[in-house]
Each structure stands twice: as C-alpha cells, then as structure tokens.
Amino acid sequence: MAGIEFDHAQRVWLLSTQTTSYGIRLTPHDRLVNIYWGPRIHLADAVHVVFTVAPSRIRTAETGGDGVEELPVEGELRYGQPSLSVRFGDQVRGIEWTFQGAETRREGNRSELELRFADRTYPLEVTLHYRVYEDGDIIERWTELRHTASASEDGAPETAEPIDVLQAHSASWAIPFRDDYRISHLHGHWGGETQLSRVPLAPASTFAIGSRTGITSHHANPWFAVDDGTAGEEHGEVWSGALAWSGSWRFHAQRFANGRASVSGGFGQDGFRVWKLHAGEIFETPVFAGVYSAAGFGAASRAWHTYQLRHIVPKAKQLRPVLYNSWEATFFDINEENQTQLAELAAEMGVELFVMDDGWFGQRINDRAGLGDWVTNPDRFPKGLAPLISAVHDRGMQFGIWVEPEMVNPDSDLYRDHPDWVYHFPTRKRSESRNQLVLNLGRPDVAEWMYEWLHDLLANNAIDYVKWDMNRPFSEPGWPEEADNPERLWIDHVRNLYSVLDRLRRAHPGVAIESCAGGGGRVDFGILARTDMVWTSDNTDGFDRLKIQEGFTQVYAPRVMSAWVTDSPDHINKRRSSLRWRFHSAMAGLLGIGGDLTKWTDAERTEAKELIAQYKRIRPVVQHGLLYRLRPPSAGDLSAVEYVHRDGSEVVVIAWQHSQQFGTVKPPLRLRGLDPLGRYRNPDTGEVWTGALLQNHGVPLVLRGDFDSCLIHLVRELDR
C-alpha cells in the first residue's frame, strides 16, 4: 500500500506510490538528501542504501551534497545554484539550519510528510512538504517559509526585521546516478507552442529555462523529463517534474563535477526579489510534482494524465461537449443576428456548446477600444444577451462567452477612471501590446472589481461557459502605491487570479471555464486546478497542431486540450487540407469548430455532422482513456496516436499521412496497451482481430495521397 514509512535509527523516510518509491535521509549534520527514486522497494532496502553508498569525496568548490540535497540552500560549502536564498536585516545571506521535527499524517488515499528546519541564528523556519497518493505514482512537493518573530514586537529586536526572500524554489529533484543525462523540455512561440526538445545535459553545466513574462508563457512550459539518453516512448527510465504555477517561473538543471544531476524549480525570476517576509508571516511556494517511469516517456505521460484527471482538473469525469466558437466567422463584426444564424448552423451539425467571442461589450468594435468596459453593447444587442442565450438554449446547446478580465484598453472608460490600476512606473512610458495594458491584479481593489463584474455577468445571464483570455505579458512591472514590497506583484497577481477563479467556481458551480492566453500562453497545473480545459494554440492548422499536440501531451491530458476545426486555407500558413484531416486532428483532444459556417457548403456541413457524431461515440475513450503516441509527427510522413479505454473495452486509433511518394503503401500500424488474448471488432467493417495480432503485426491503414487521415474504432468482444 502507498504511504510513508520511517526508520528512526538512520533517520530515513520512504515514500511509496503505486509502483515507485522515493527515499530521503537526514544526515548527522542535518542535511536532507535523496537516497533513492525508482521502482518500489521496502524500507529495509532504503536503509541498506545508507550503508552501501560510499561517501562523496569533498574537494575544492565541491560538496558531498551536490546533486542530492532535497532543497540546497545558499550558505556553507555549497557552490551550485541554490534553491533557497535569503538575506536577513543585517545583510547576512545564507542559511544554517537545524532539524526541528517531522510530522506524518494520512487522509483518505493520500499521505503527507512535513520536515521542519530552523536557522541557527535568525527567526526563519523552513518546512518541506511531501504528499503521495495511493491511486498513482506522483509525488507532490512544496516549501513553506515562516518568519518566527512575533509581529507584535514592533521591531524591538533586530531579528524582527523583514527577511528578503531572493529565491524560493518549491523543490529540488535529485536524479539517480547514471552514466549520462538528457533533459526534455517544451519550447515554442505564439502559434508554435509546446515544441518538444531533448538535449544532452553537459558535464559541469547548468541548463536553465523559465518565463519572465508574468504568465506561464508561449516560449517555455514548466515541465521537464530527464533520462540517460537511451529512453524511448515505451522503454527506459524517465524522471519527470511539473510546476503548478501560472506566473513567472524558472528551472535549473545542473550536472555536477561528481557526476550527479538535479533539477530545481519554482516561481520567480532572476534579478527580482521574490518576497519580503515580515514578522509572523508565512510564505508558501506552489506544488512541484514529480514522477518516475520505468517504461519510457509514454508511461510517464500516462501517469501525469491520470494524476490530472484524479486530483487536478475540476469535474474531470464529465465529458466535454463539442464546441463552436464564432471568432473566425465574424471577428469584431458581432451582433445578435449573425450570432443567431451561426448558432442555427452549429446546432444542425450536432454542436453542443455555442461560444460568442470578442466584441459583445462596450465600444469594442476593434482591438483598440472598449476592453475593460464589461457592459453589453446596446447597438449590437439592444435587449441584452438574453435573446441570444435563449435562442442558443432553445436549439439544445449551451451558451458560452469570451472575456479578458486582466486587460484594459487606454481608450476605455475604465482606464480613464482608473489610470493607476495598471502596472506602471511613474517616470516610464506605458508600453502597449495589442493596444492593451495589464491591470494590476495584485491590488485588492482591482481583484474585487474583477470578481464583482464577472459574478454579475454570470448571475444575470444563463451562461454555461467562460473563455478567459489573457493576450499579453507584463511590462513596466511597477506598483507605485506599494512602497514596501512592489515586487510582490509577480506573486500576488497569480494568487489573486486563483482567488477570483475559486470564488467564481464556488458561486457558479455549473459554469465551465477555459484558460486562454493568446493561445497556449498559460498552461500549467496551477491554472488547470481552476479551469476545465486550456486553449492549446491560436494556430489551428491541422498539420501544425500534430506537433503542438505531441509536446502538449507529454504532460497534459487530452481531456484538457482544446482543438478547433477551422477553414482551409488556415490563417497561419495558408495551407489547404481536407475537412476530414482537420477534424481528425482536432478529434485527438476536445473537439471544437471555429470556421465560418455560413461559407461551408451543404456537403461540408453534412460531412461535419457525421464526423461530430463519430466523435461523440469515441470521446469517452479520447477524453478519459490511456494515450499511446504510436508515431510522432517528426518520425516521417506518418503520425498516429492511440487511445485505450481504462477498462480495456474500446480502442481508438487516429493516423495522419503527411505525404505519399512513389505510390508507396504504409505498413500495418502496430498498437499498444491491448490484451493479447482479447478479441477486438471494428464496428464499421465487421473485422475481428486478436490483441496479439494488433500489437505484433498491426492494423492496416487505408491512406491515399498527401494529407490523408483515418480513424479506426475497435470494440473488445465479451469473453465467452
């Protein structure tokens, strides 16, 4: 059974999940080090490790703790990148800590461990938190800092002065010793998010990734995976981690001179103080979760997906409806009449959720004005939103609406009334992006204003879904009114965002929320704990999406991956592709449609209706099943994914042929995750295959020409 065990004599804790174990030890000098992370072992095995591992030799500029400490602090003989760095009131930096105690508790299917340390001289307490679950292999870690001086002492002793927190990572993950190391990460840009990269981690080097934008960002994502350079999709050892934070963040992967490697990470960014910790204050970092896989990157992904569906995403068991979004059909030229017309066409095709995008409020006739004035435009909707919402509901669909609460146009009533509500420095210009400025959500009055108008919008209208957008990163990150600690905005913006979302979900539990940030600019476990899905990318080209989705699913589940079918040629590459190809690309996640339905032919709408019906039949498998990436888009001119229902009853395979040369025919596609003795029927053809044949020989693919695709649905026959 999963849980936490302790050996008092050797001060060893063993955290065990379903199939893995994680061992840590408190040394005689009160340094907390990792001694094991891998397949499941017994506590006696972990204790045995203490006696069999030779102590590291300490040389100049090295320490025996390099690459193994659970949270390397600045101070003493440490020369690597610290995970925790503070400066006290007398300008002394670094920490000398002593162990104060441990507490283990169990609640339901999870177990938690707290290890408390305190500085020898200054009023700082550091608590390391660990949590494991019985129903998975994820280990959650985070750190808590406490200024232990009393806040009522009015600064009488010098030790009651604030403590500058210069860096506060959530955790450092020690990677077991291997001959070599390779790190996988996600990079990209607007329209090309979550591009997968695997690079060697060079000896005696530091590999850093992160975001300085105030949001998770398009160009990097807070996830990593480390292997020895030989792991593949379904073989080899992989150690992986992901941070639950939606603001600026950073990871440092280090390979030390002693051959060890570690990855440390948390919120914040270089060049900025993270926090000023006042007497009596507690400061908590976000969760940094980790997982070990003995069966490659695919198994690690499936562990992450399972974790999200069971412990992160709200109402994850619910099937997400097929969505239509009107943005690319009308852009800012929006009104009750054309939205009703689009809703009629969408309903005829089988769409279940109609979403009206930007342009319904204020003087929002383009992207230069009106943002921040969240009142329905009376010229476009003379009787408010109610008639359109009723028309949508009458056609059997849910109604959704687009908002961008964290932004404001300078040309708006809100900005004219509250120019102090945006991030700014008094002596610097206010840089606009997309004609927008960023509201200072760190301010309590801005956060309250935001909650109130959103609450009123949902309370006064029968809205079922909100698309929450955020189209630009921070600039001029000043908070003139906060003289004591203006840099707290990097933390408080995200915390208040979370608070507003949490309050809205409590007040309106039936409303679903999608996170969007100019595409995939805010995708992480922190935002996923408060939203039902995320917008993967503004790039809806079916071919480009295959690579974006390959990287996305390394850590994030198909159940949260919004994907649209839009018009051909697409607006990014002007690439032409068939409607079926575009549908099959989007059916690999949460199916949505975003084209101008008024320009689709009768034949296209009929084909779309059939494909939507097909998706509804397979979506329990796609949204909740186990994903196998059979062939990545970079593997040649064929890519394919497979979904297996968690009870083994159904299988869905989607394959895309990028190009065909010299009339060649693709070989059978070998499947994974099946019962070799099971029999699987294709309802469309009546063919029956054994699991052994499907896995060892493969299923034939009928693909012809460039940009052709196919979907195969197999149902397991009941054993006789």
Side-chain angles (χ1 to χ4, degrees):
M1 186 171 70
I4 300 170
E5 301 172 276
F6 177 59
D7 182 275
H8 186 271
Q10 296 303 319
R11 300 205 295 182
V12 169
W13 289 268
L14 186 69
L15 292 75
S16 294
T17 67
Q18 270 190 333
T19 67
T20 75
S21 289
Y22 188 88
I24 52 179
R25 182 201 181 209
L26 196 62
T27 72
H29 302 290
D30 282 358
R31 289 197 177 187
L32 189 66
V33 298
N34 180 274
I35 58 173
Y36 183 84
W37 190 13
R40 189 155 177 174
I41 60 174
H42 296 288
L43 178 60
D45 298 323
V47 172
H48 187 70
V49 171
V50 176
F51 295 101
T52 58
V53 176
S56 301
R57 291 181 59 192
I58 300 177
R59 305 178 180 90
T60 302
E62 294 178 27
T63 171
D66 282 348
V68 297
E69 284 194 271
E70 287 290 277
L71 194 77
V73 301
E74 181 182 27
E76 302 181 41
L77 297 175
R78 297 182 180 92
Y79 303 100
Q81 183 72 36
S83 295
L84 178 61
S85 174
V86 301
R87 180 175 56 220
F88 297 100
D90 58 4
Q91 301 305 302
V92 170
R93 292 177 60 137
I95 297 172
E96 294 182 4
W97 63 12
T98 60
F99 181 61
Q100 299 295 297
E103 181 179 348
T104 304
R105 57 179 173 270
R106 186 179 184 87
E107 181 179 342
N109 70 344
R110 66 185 188 182
S111 299
E112 294 189 15
L113 171 66
E114 293 182 3
L115 300 175
R116 297 188 305 279
F117 299 82
D119 190 87
R120 297 178 187 274
T121 306
Y122 297 92
L124 176 64
E125 184 176 273
V126 181
T127 302
L128 307 187
H129 293 260
Y130 298 78
R131 182 162 54 215
V132 293
Y133 298 89
E134 288 186 6
D135 59 357
D137 286 323
I138 305 298
I139 302 168
E140 294 179 341
R141 295 178 57 188
W142 67 100
T143 299
E144 180 184 281
L145 307 180
R146 181 193 298 266
H147 194 312
T148 56
S150 172
S152 63
E153 293 178 348
D154 294 328
E158 288 186 3
T159 52
E161 294 181 4
I163 300 170
D164 285 335
V165 181
L166 306 177
Q167 181 155 289
H169 283 174
S170 298
S172 182
W173 296 99
I175 311 301
F177 185 83
R178 295 295 184 267
D179 290 340
D180 205 355
Y181 296 103
R182 176 177 60 172
I183 186 165
S184 301
H185 66 104
L186 301 175
H187 66 94
H189 51 79
W190 176 85
E193 298 89 335
T194 58
Q195 304 294 299
L196 178 63
S197 177
R198 307 196 197 278
V199 296
L201 188 56
S205 68
T206 299
F207 180 87
I209 56 174
S211 166
R212 295 172 57 88
T213 64
I215 56 176
T216 321
S217 90
H218 298 77
H219 61 261
N221 191 271
W223 164 86
F224 77 90
V226 172
D227 73 301
D228 67 357
T230 66
E233 185 66 19
E234 301 297 336
H235 72 272
E237 292 185 298
V238 175
W239 295 266
S240 183
L243 182 69
W245 184 246
S246 307
S248 292
W249 58 275
R250 55 189 165 189
F251 286 177
H252 292 111
Q254 300 176 84
R255 186 171 178 182
F256 298 90
N258 63 11
R260 296 301 301 261
S262 68
V263 182
S264 181
F267 54 22
Q269 58 198 44
D270 293 328
F272 291 88
R273 178 181 58 196
V274 175
W275 201 258
K276 180 178 283 189
L277 191 67
H278 291 275
E281 187 178 7
I282 297 174
F283 181 71
E284 187 173 283
T285 70
V287 166
F288 192 5
V291 68
Y292 164 80
S293 163
F297 299 105
S301 296
R302 290 187 287 276
W304 284 124
H305 300 169
T306 299
Y307 167 65
Q308 289 159 69
L309 298 184
R310 292 177 179 172
H311 301 290
I312 299 292
V313 179
K315 300 181 181 179
K317 293 183 180 179
Q318 293 183 355
L319 292 173
R320 292 303 309 154
V322 177
L323 169 154
Y324 176 78
N325 185 290
S326 66
W327 172 246
E328 293 193 18
T330 53
F331 294 100
F332 289 106
D333 186 18
I334 197 171
N335 56 56
E336 181 181 325
E337 182 181 358
N338 61 30
Q339 296 300 292
T340 302
Q341 180 187 15
L342 289 166
E344 292 174 354
L345 294 172
E348 291 171 0
M349 290 165 42
V351 167
E352 300 159 308
L353 167 61
F354 179 86
V355 182
M356 179 172 62
D357 213 278
D358 197 352
W360 59 269
F361 54 91
Q363 296 304 308
R364 189 69 169 170
I365 59 174
N366 51 48
D367 67 1
R368 295 185 294 275
L371 198 58
D373 300 337
W374 298 102
V375 179
T376 306
N377 184 299
D379 297 326
R380 297 178 170 195
F381 300 91
K383 298 180 180 179
L385 298 177
L388 174 61
I389 295 175
S390 295
V392 169
H393 286 163
D394 289 346
R395 287 162 175 79
M397 297 184 294
Q398 296 178 323
F399 179 81
I401 199 164
W402 177 97
V403 296
E404 192 171 5
E406 297 157 82
M407 299 293 146
V408 64
N409 286 130
D411 185 5
S412 66
D413 292 338
L414 178 67
Y415 186 75
R416 284 183 282 271
D417 291 340
H418 298 285
D420 55 323
W421 276 16
V422 302
Y423 293 124
H424 70 282
F425 295 113
T427 59
R428 299 298 182 192
K429 69 175 183 179
R430 304 182 181 194
S431 299
E432 297 178 23
S433 176
R434 202 172 182 256
N435 305 300
Q436 298 174 188
L437 298 171
V438 185
L439 289 170
N440 182 352
L441 187 52
R443 293 177 54 136
D445 53 351
V446 174
E448 188 61 28
W449 163 84
M450 183 180 297
Y451 171 77
E452 288 297 336
W453 76 256
L454 282 161
H455 170 65
D456 289 345
L457 176 68
L458 298 178
N460 297 324
N461 297 279
I463 293 170
D464 306 290
Y465 162 102
V466 171
K467 181 169 184 173
W468 185 303
D469 209 345
M470 202 278 196
N471 270 305
R472 61 154 294 180
F474 294 8
S475 63
E476 290 82 48
W479 186 349
E481 296 81 8
E482 176 59 38
D484 178 58
N485 185 16
E487 290 170 340
R488 67 183 296 153
L489 67 88
W490 298 101
I491 307 296
D492 280 353
H493 186 110
V494 181
R495 286 179 171 175
N496 283 345
L497 167 70
Y498 288 169
S499 177
V500 170
L501 288 169
D502 291 342
R503 292 175 66 189
L504 286 172
R505 294 197 75 97
R506 289 193 298 269
H508 308 278
V511 176
I513 302 175
E514 178 180 6
S515 170
C516 174
R522 186 151 61 191
V523 179
D524 57 80
F525 286 168
I527 202 68
L528 279 172
R530 296 160 173 88
T531 58
D532 300 84
M533 70 219 78
V534 291
W535 182 226
T536 319
S537 176
D538 281 347
N539 186 346
T540 57
D541 172 51
F543 179 69
D544 284 353
R545 269 300 183 106
L546 299 182
K547 195 170 182 181
I548 292 170
Q549 291 169 183
E550 176 201 13
F552 185 95
T553 59
Q554 296 294 317
V555 56
Y556 303 112
R559 164 60 177 73
V560 302
M561 185 174 70
S562 291
W564 288 2
V565 178
T566 53
D567 295 334
S568 180
D570 70 274
H571 69 287
I572 295 286
N573 299 317
K574 308 302 180 183
R575 179 183 285 119
R576 295 186 180 275
S577 57
S578 70
L579 189 65
R580 183 175 66 169
W581 167 281
R582 284 174 276 146
F583 258 93
H584 284 164
S585 177
M587 288 164 72
L590 301 182
L591 177 60
I593 296 94
D596 185 353
L597 300 183
T598 64
K599 296 180 180 178
W600 287 21
T601 66
D602 290 342
E604 287 175 322
R605 286 197 288 268
T606 298
E607 183 180 6
K609 183 176 183 179
E610 294 170 353
L611 289 163
I612 290 171
Q614 183 182 40
Y615 179 76
K616 291 177 181 178
R617 293 193 294 271
I618 65 169
R619 67 178 160 189
V621 190
V622 172
Q623 295 184 17
H624 292 134
L626 297 169
L627 170 66
Y628 293 84
R629 294 180 292 264
L630 301 181
R631 288 181 62 92
S634 57
D637 58 3
L638 176 71
S639 55
V641 293
E642 174 193 5
Y643 307 83
V644 179
H645 197 290
R646 289 178 184 268
D647 66 7
S649 62
E650 294 182 73
V651 181
V652 174
V653 178
I654 310 177
W656 300 268
Q657 180 169 268
H658 315 157
S659 63
Q660 185 177 35
Q661 297 180 358
F662 308 113
T664 55
V665 177
K666 295 295 182 291
L669 183 66
R670 292 195 293 175
L671 307 189
R672 299 174 188 149
L674 307 183
D675 178 2
L677 302 180
R679 292 170 58 82
Y680 298 85
R681 176 181 295 275
N682 185 330
D684 296 326
T685 66
E687 292 179 284
V688 178
W689 306 72
T690 65
L693 191 60
L694 288 169
Q695 293 187 130
N696 298 314
H697 172 71
V699 62
L701 301 177
V702 181
L703 296 169
R704 296 289 184 270
D706 297 348
F707 296 113
D708 195 13
S709 61
C710 64
L711 187 151
I712 301 170
H713 182 198
L714 303 174
V715 178
R716 183 173 178 176
E717 293 187 326
L718 295 176
D719 298 330
R720 295 195 176 101

